[in-house]
Amino acid sequence: MKKVIIGFLVMLVMAQSMLKPIEAFTCMEVTSLLLPCLPYLIGTAPQPAVSCCEGVNRLNSMAANTPERRQACTCIRQAAAQYPQIKDDAVSSLPSKCGVKLPFGISKSTDCGK
């Protein structure tokens, strides 16, 4: 009887996870990864710091599939919009400056629905 109940609960959890996908990461996490990039993004540093590029690399590994890419893109766009002093060309150049090819474009105005 216990095995039947445990089996039912496992199936219930699996069905629930299929109905409501678990969010891989939050915008707060994305913002914390990119916070070391702020001096470069506002133009007070000529190059992104090593810790900034580490965050961009981590973001790249987090955004493995399309929903996660959209979420990461939206998080970046929202974070950039909160800081009017961030230069959009710095945002869009950040991946290449760090030697990372992100699977999505980033800027203050990127359409993240793609």
Side-chain angles (χ1 to χ4, degrees):
M1 184 67 167
K2 283 184 182 180
K3 288 182 182 181
V4 172
I5 292 172
I6 292 172
F8 176 75
L9 291 174
V10 168
M11 288 177 49
L12 183 62
V13 168
M14 288 174 59
Q16 188 177 23
S17 69
M18 289 189 313
L19 293 174
K20 183 181 176 194
I22 298 170
E23 195 172 280
F25 52 87
T26 65
C27 286
M28 203 165 184
E29 289 172 296
V30 172
T31 301
S32 69
L33 286 174
L34 299 179
L35 197 56
C37 302
L38 199 55
Y40 170 73
L41 294 174
I42 62 173
T44 59
Q47 294 292 323
V50 171
S51 57
C52 167
C53 290
E54 289 170 354
V56 174
N57 272 317
R58 176 77 180 115
L59 178 63
N60 188 39
S61 67
M62 289 167 59
N65 61 44
T66 301
E68 290 168 340
R69 284 192 289 266
R70 286 184 186 140
Q71 181 180 348
C73 175
T74 301
C75 291
I76 292 167
R77 193 181 74 206
Q78 288 173 353
Q82 291 177 3
Y83 295 93
Q85 66 272 36
I86 288 178
K87 297 168 179 21
D88 199 37
D89 59 335
V91 176
S92 60
S93 71
L94 186 58
S96 64
K97 289 281 189 179
C98 289
V100 177
K101 174 114 173 86
L102 287 177
F104 55 89
I106 57 171
S107 76
K108 287 180 159 181
S109 58
T110 296
D111 176 12
C112 297
K114 296 178 181 179

